[in-house]
Amino acid sequence: MQTPDAPLMLSVSGARGIVGKTMTPEVAAAYGGAFGSFLKATTRKARPRVVVGLDGRISGPPLAAAAIGGLTATGCDVIDIGVAMTPTVGVMIGHHKAEGGLTVTASHNPIQWNGIKCLDGDGLAPPPAIAKEIVDRFKERRIDWCAPTATGRVEQDGSAARVHVDRVLGNVDVAAIRAKKFTVVLDSVNGSGCVGGRMLLEELSCRVEHIFGEPTGVFGHTPEPLVENLVDLANATRNAKGAACGFAQDPDADRLAIVDETSRFIGEECTLVLAALRMLQRTGGGALAANLSTSRMIDDVAARFAGSRVIRTAVGEANVVAGLRPANGILGGEGNGGVIFPPVCWVRDSLSAMALVLELLAHEGKPLSQLVAALPRYAMVKRKMELAAVGGMAAVAPALAKVKVAFAKERVSDVDGVRVDFADGWVHLRASNTEPIMRVIAEAATEARADELCEVCRRAAGV
Ligand code: MG
């Protein structure tokens, strides 16, 4: 995905491209116009209302302005909440009873990227069929520009972070967390989580040591919250006297990674498991949802609570929500540090994740390292296969077909890419929605075995 000539990626996750090449104000205006036209055609509202936010990366304002232009020129009214976390856009759609939302973000991608995501009137990432309808409208430029007298209006709302934080505070045990007066190190990567992340922790009576806490949009480090990018967080947590943990948000603040009080990165897979553990403790059991690439730790933790179950879904936030919502699930998410807490919003939310982890710490009264040590542990290997040299995205289907044939004797699922379950581990191969790569994830008792499973599948795929 480092290639500067990457095409505009269009998928269920929205549009993503290289700023100034494939992601331009022209693209953003057309995308806003396509989404506005879609809302006009499907909501039967004369003036659909759309909440618009941006993740604070430095290329965002002209793209957001263009997208707002597209929306208002198709007759939508816009509530402009400015720099906002992606989950905040979800919260504000409900707050304003709007018909949809649009956020300008490329999530954890490096700074040369930007993108556009749409949300529906429930603050949900639209299901695949709807997402495709919006993308098709954009590709075919089926945009219904409105009459001059019907142009939408723009209203600014500067209260979004406050509203989001209050929603989280209303759904966690504030008193228990405040009583602990935790010291927490927060790395907001100078992204959209700076204001809300700090506000939440201060409301929870935490002493906050904030690194990369200026919302300049110039990322303080490579933005994906992986161990190699969180060296500063680990150092700051080690140096902060008595820190309970360190939290890292990605630029649009939907994902959360954690380091424990000894400054050890606990792995992004643990975020969802810790949040789920707290919710299971609170409720005594319930339905959880996680995608097929998520660690089996969550299954083991759920098994400790009678009547609990884990619904496994295809990768992608919309798919997880589609599993979680009809089951009245208590929590859902993805192994990349994305936690979906239904009382707050249907979007992965780093604020909810932080609050639930702190609630767990408060109630357990033990250091985070001990709580993590008590979790079942597996080794997970995540690899990316670059497809550029083997025919790009066109190489995906034949590669997956080869894997299915090679492991026909094992348990194989093709709900989403191909997942092969071996007796002592599993491997999941799938094309990325947003980058010209294939992701391979393997989990087993040891790293060597997970590596081996990965390699066996890579060879079978011929990539
Ligand atoms: Mg993100």
Side-chain angles (χ1 to χ4, degrees), residues 107 250 252 254:
S107 188
D250 77 330
D252 69 330
D254 57 354

Side-chain angles (χ1 to χ4, degrees), residues 162-250:
R162 183 74 253 173
V163 171
H164 183 179
V165 166
D166 285 346
R167 183 82 64 90
V168 176
L169 294 173
N171 288 286
V172 295
D173 188 346
V174 171
I177 301 169
R178 281 183 178 159
K180 293 287 183 182
K181 301 203 181 309
F182 290 120
T183 294
V184 176
V185 183
L186 176 64
D187 174 356
S188 300
V189 68
N190 295 336
S192 65
C194 289
V195 174
R198 185 181 187 98
M199 188 188 294
L200 174 77
L201 293 173
E202 288 183 343
E203 287 283 355
L204 292 170
S205 299
C206 296
R207 187 175 76 79
V208 183
E209 191 138 324
H210 208 171
I211 64 170
F212 307 119
E214 295 298 324
T216 56
V218 181
F219 305 142
H221 55 77
T222 306
E224 191 164 13
L226 301 176
V227 62
E228 59 269 29
N229 301 330
L230 301 179
V231 175
D232 292 304
L233 177 66
N235 288 337
T237 306
R238 186 178 303 116
N239 296 333
K241 195 167 176 291
C245 59
F247 289 135
Q249 301 173 290
D250 77 330

